[in-house]
């Protein structure tokens, strides 16, 4: 069976509606759908609709939100519900990105709640896990990843995992230009798969790698069969570079 690769762009706090539309139009000129390859775009929430509309005729594209609240509505100033981002055109949501965890204090428990609500509402959660450099250096990579995955396992039953996508994103690799080696990434992916299998998850859950993925390293990373795709920040911000990157691998 050929692997279905996911190339997910996380634009973070870049590209408002006008820039996002210009990006989408340029991207359409440069690419056409490729079999066995899905392209996900996570613009800032205010640009979800414009990107979803611009790319609506592309069957290989899914648009996503970068964050949501777990409650369906209420007095949560500044937050967005899943049904709101879905109404704007999102079909995917990043959950527990390391910037949410480390800069905004998101906990394992909140990540699990968001994942549960995403599944119940019918949007695909892309759940991110990853260790900091201090955790890696003190030999705690395995226990940190296991704790983060376990928090989701505790709330999401084995059959629901067919609708979950994971991303391994070591915190020290994000935005630093220092990617995990293909071997290191593959090892953590295997660790996660083993943990899922031990807890009765029989499905092969796609696991993406993220952290300084670029044109220079994407081929060597995706050469490892343990990786089902990539989650890309900096190298996804320019349409020409991104179009080139999504053409590599597989
Ligand atoms: P980066 O970001 O590719 O700029 O390292 C990845 C991410 O944060 O998802």
């Amino acid at each position: 069976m050929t692997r279905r690769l996911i190339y997910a762009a996380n634009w973070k706090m870049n590209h408002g509606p006008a820039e996002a539309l210009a990006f989408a139009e340029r991207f359409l000129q440069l690419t056409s759908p490729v079999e066995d390859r899905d392209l996900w775009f996570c613009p800032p929430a205010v640009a979800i609709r414009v990107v979803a509309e611009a790319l609506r005729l592309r069957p290989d594209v899914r648009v996503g939100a970068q964050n949501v609240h777990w409650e369906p509505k209420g007095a949560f100033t500044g937050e967005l519900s899943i049904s709101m981002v879905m109404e704007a055109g999102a079909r995917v949501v990043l959950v527990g990105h390391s910037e949410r965890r480390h800069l905004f204090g998101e906990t394992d428990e909140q990540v699990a709640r968001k994942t549960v609500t995403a599944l119940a509402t019918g949007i695909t959660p892309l759940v991110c896990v990853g260790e900091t450099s201090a955790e890696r250096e003190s030999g705690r990579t395995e226990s940190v990843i296991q704790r983060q995955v376990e928090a989701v396992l505790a709330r999401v039953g084995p059959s629901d995992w067919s609708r979950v996508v994971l991303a391994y994103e070591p915190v020290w690799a994000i935005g630093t230009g220092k990617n995990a080696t293909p071997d290191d990434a593959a090892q953590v992916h295997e660790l996660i798969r083993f943990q899922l299998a031990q807890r009765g998850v029989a499905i092969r859950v796609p696991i993406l790698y993220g952290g300084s993925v670029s044109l220079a390293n994407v081929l060597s990373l995706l050469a490892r069969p343990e990786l089902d795709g990539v989650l890309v920040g900096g190298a996804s911000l320019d349409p020409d570079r991104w179009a080139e990157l999504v053409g590599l691998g597989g």
Side-chain angles (χ1 to χ4, degrees), residues 27-50:
F27 189 78
L28 280 175
Q29 288 170 355
L30 294 169
T31 63
S32 41
V34 176
E35 216 186 319
D36 295 331
R37 187 159 308 195
D38 291 314
L39 311 181
W40 293 4
F41 291 81
C42 299
V46 291
I48 290 173
R49 179 177 285 284
V50 77

Side-chain angles (χ1 to χ4, degrees), residues 51-233:
V51 174
E53 279 178 5
L55 300 178
R56 71 188 180 285
L57 296 178
R58 285 285 297 256
D60 56 330
V61 166
R62 281 216 244 173
V63 177
Q66 296 174 13
N67 181 40
V68 285
H69 198 274
W70 59 85
E71 291 292 343
K73 63 164 102 172
F76 302 104
T77 301
E79 294 289 326
L80 297 170
S81 74
I82 292 173
S83 56
M84 287 173 193
V85 297
M86 288 181 80
E87 189 181 334
R91 296 292 173 266
V92 179
V93 62
L94 294 180
V95 180
H97 186 277
S98 77
E99 284 149 19
R100 300 296 323 163
R101 292 180 189 260
H102 294 283
L103 300 176
F104 300 100
E106 204 163 296
T107 64
D108 288 341
E109 168 69 13
Q110 291 172 341
V111 170
R113 288 175 81 170
K114 290 180 182 194
T115 306
V116 168
T117 316
L119 290 169
T121 320
I123 198 170
T124 302
L126 171 46
V127 182
C128 306
V129 298
E131 81 288 0
T132 63
S133 63
E135 288 162 346
R136 176 162 281 262
E137 276 153 27
S138 60
R140 285 183 292 143
T141 299
E142 197 171 319
S143 63
V144 169
I145 301 292
Q146 279 173 341
R147 189 201 76 224
Q148 292 174 340
V149 173
E150 182 53 40
V152 181
L153 274 165
R155 282 179 175 257
V156 174
S159 60
D160 283 330
W161 279 85
S162 62
R163 295 182 292 130
V164 177
V165 176
L166 294 176
Y168 167 55
E169 293 207 305
V171 178
W172 49 268
I174 295 178
T176 59
K178 200 174 125 195
N179 61 288
T181 64
D183 280 352
D184 283 346
Q187 199 183 351
V188 174
H189 285 222
E190 276 305 285
L191 178 82
I192 296 170
R193 285 194 201 294
F194 182 68
Q195 185 181 1
L196 295 177
Q198 272 188 325
R199 293 291 304 271
V201 179
I203 312 121
R204 183 181 161 104
V205 176
I207 307 176
L208 316 186
Y209 166 77
S212 295
V213 174
S214 69
L215 281 169
N217 60 30
V218 68
L219 272 176
S220 59
L221 285 160
L222 288 177
R224 297 299 306 240
E226 293 86 352
L227 275 62
D228 300 299
V230 284
L231 175 54
V232 185

